Amino acid sequence: MAGAEGAAGRQSELEPVVSLVDVLEEDEELENEACAVLGGSDSEKCSYSQGSVKRQALYACSTCTPEGEEPAGICLACSYECHGSHKLFELYTKRNFRCDCGNSKFKNLECKLLPDKAKVNSGNKYNDNFFGLYCICKRPYPDPEDEIPDEMIQCVVCEDWFHGRTVFKNESLNAESKSGCKLQELKAKQLIKKDTATYWPLNWRSKLCTCQDCMKMYGDLDVLFLTDEYDTVLAYENKGKIAQATDRSDPLMDTLSSMNRVQQVELICEYNDLKTELKDYLKRFADEGTVVKREDIQQFFEEFQSKKRRRVDGMQYYCS
């Protein structure tokens, strides 16, 4: 027994100590990341009926529209309901896009949520992201052939993603206007370069010139959205966080506060078992590139409860 206890003690020393607070904070971080991507997107209703949505989470289906076919994008709800077992590319968010699911670009698929759709959405804009390719190098991300760690940066205009090392040049948009047009001031100071990436400071939209000539230019270039503070990804993420905060309660903390220490330890052990098994279960879907559906989650919890019952039934209790 002493040897076993010693071995167990040495093993526990090697394992990192994780507190309940650490677990909850990690879960909250993962939840916030998911909320940032999904934002205010509806997971049950196809967004097509809303027209060109100002900003929403989008996906491209490699199974239905592989490279060589016409590009197409699908909303969050359709990614679950119509393409659950397909290989999808997560496009993060796109602006002014209408769901394509089931239209003429999908030769053998009808949208299960909203089958009555126009053949094409002429207002949609597409790029190589819809085939899982990014940057001027037209490579996937993560790139299995690129061993150099790098971050991807999204262009606010075209919404393509670029490697940091590819576009790392700095320009400033901090010039003050004396003539009434900030653009003319920048041109006069030769601060504007063409065909190069620029990094602009926080709240740069409020610094854009809004004189009559510049507003006309934005319209002609189809970039009026640059003057809209609510076009930003940050505004989209905040929309999702506000909606989540309205509905969210913290049942775990409420339950723990009513328990003694022994009960708290038992609960967190159960929680860790659930977390480990759920992580392994979801990893299979990630490796296969398939979407997790409601039925998959229900199946997991049914199997988890069955295992738990077998463990409890197999326990032996002794009087001391």
Side-chain angles (χ1 to χ4, degrees):
M1 289 296 294
E5 290 177 355
R10 289 193 296 273
Q11 180 65 25
S12 64
E13 291 176 1
L14 296 174
E15 294 177 353
V17 177
V18 179
S19 69
L20 177 58
V21 174
D22 293 332
V23 172
L24 296 177
E25 287 180 349
E26 181 182 351
D27 282 359
E28 184 176 5
E29 182 179 349
L30 293 172
E31 187 176 352
N32 288 336
E33 288 178 2
C35 181
V37 176
L38 303 181
S41 298
D42 195 321
S43 62
E44 297 182 353
K45 297 179 181 178
C46 176
S47 65
Y48 179 86
S49 59
Q50 301 176 39
S52 294
V53 180
K54 193 167 191 175
R55 184 170 292 282
Q56 65 175 313
L58 279 184
Y59 301 81
C61 182
S62 177
T63 304
C64 296
T65 55
E67 192 171 3
E69 301 286 340
E70 289 187 82
I74 59 176
C75 68
L76 175 63
C78 287
S79 75
Y80 292 152
E81 187 65 28
C82 308
H83 305 264
S85 61
H86 297 179
K87 181 180 179 181
L88 301 178
F89 296 123
E90 184 178 322
L91 303 179
Y92 194 46
T93 72
K94 299 285 185 186
R95 68 166 64 88
N96 300 331
F97 199 95
R98 196 172 196 183
C99 180
D100 285 322
C101 181
N103 68 12
S104 62
K105 297 187 175 189
F106 295 80
K107 295 181 172 55
N108 300 308
L109 181 137
E110 183 179 83
C111 180
K112 298 177 183 178
L113 298 175
L114 204 60
D116 187 17
K117 294 180 179 177
K119 291 185 176 180
V120 294
N121 294 313
S122 58
N124 287 354
K125 294 183 178 180
Y126 307 91
N127 56 24
D128 288 323
N129 295 177
F130 289 79
F131 297 117
L133 303 175
Y134 307 90
C135 194
I136 57 176
C137 58
K138 308 300 180 189
R139 295 291 302 168
Y141 183 82
D143 190 342
E145 298 180 8
D146 186 359
E147 298 180 355
I148 302 175
D150 200 357
E151 291 189 358
M152 299 296 283
I153 302 170
Q154 188 180 35
C155 173
V156 73
V157 178
C158 72
E159 297 194 299
D160 194 357
W161 293 84
F162 298 87
H163 292 99
R165 63 180 181 272
T166 302
V167 297
F168 197 77
K169 296 179 183 294
N170 274 306
E171 300 293 337
S172 174
L173 195 69
N174 284 319
E176 298 297 326
S177 172
K178 297 179 181 179
S179 65
C181 178
K182 297 179 182 178
L183 179 61
Q184 295 304 321
E185 288 289 328
L186 290 169
K187 286 182 176 179
K189 294 182 178 181
Q190 298 182 334
L191 292 176
I192 296 181
K193 296 180 180 180
K194 293 185 177 180
D195 302 322
T196 185
T198 59
Y199 292 85
W200 295 346
L202 188 66
N203 299 323
W204 58 267
R205 290 176 190 254
S206 63
K207 302 177 187 293
L208 289 176
C209 184
T210 55
C211 72
Q212 186 175 353
D213 290 341
C214 283
M215 292 300 289
K216 182 180 183 302
M217 176 187 67
Y218 300 147
D220 293 341
L221 295 174
D222 195 24
V223 292
L224 267 173
F225 54 80
L226 293 178
T227 63
D228 183 3
E229 294 286 348
Y230 293 99
D231 171 74
T232 64
V233 174
L234 179 61
Y236 170 83
E237 292 177 355
N238 288 337
K239 176 184 175 183
K241 290 177 181 178
I242 290 172
Q244 184 187 47
T246 302
D247 300 331
R248 183 170 63 179
S249 61
D250 198 342
L252 179 58
M253 291 305 298
D254 292 341
T255 303
L256 285 170
S257 63
S258 64
M259 293 179 168
N260 60 39
R261 179 163 179 78
V262 174
Q263 292 171 325
Q264 289 178 351
V265 171
E266 289 176 346
L267 177 60
I268 198 59
C269 287
E270 288 288 343
Y271 179 87
N272 283 332
D273 288 343
L274 172 62
K275 180 179 177 182
T276 300
E277 293 200 26
L278 182 58
K279 181 179 178 181
D280 293 341
Y281 181 75
L282 295 178
K283 186 176 184 300
R284 303 205 314 258
F285 292 88
D287 293 341
E288 296 170 2
T290 56
V291 173
V292 183
K293 295 186 290 187
R294 183 182 291 112
E295 305 84 68
D296 298 319
I297 297 299
Q298 290 174 342
Q299 180 184 348
F300 167 79
F301 279 104
E302 288 173 0
E303 294 177 353
F304 182 79
Q305 288 295 338
S306 177
K307 290 179 183 177
K308 181 180 176 181
R309 283 193 295 270
R310 289 197 298 270
R311 287 200 302 268
V312 172
D313 293 342
M315 288 182 179
Q316 295 182 356
Y317 299 91
Y318 301 93
C319 295
S320 57

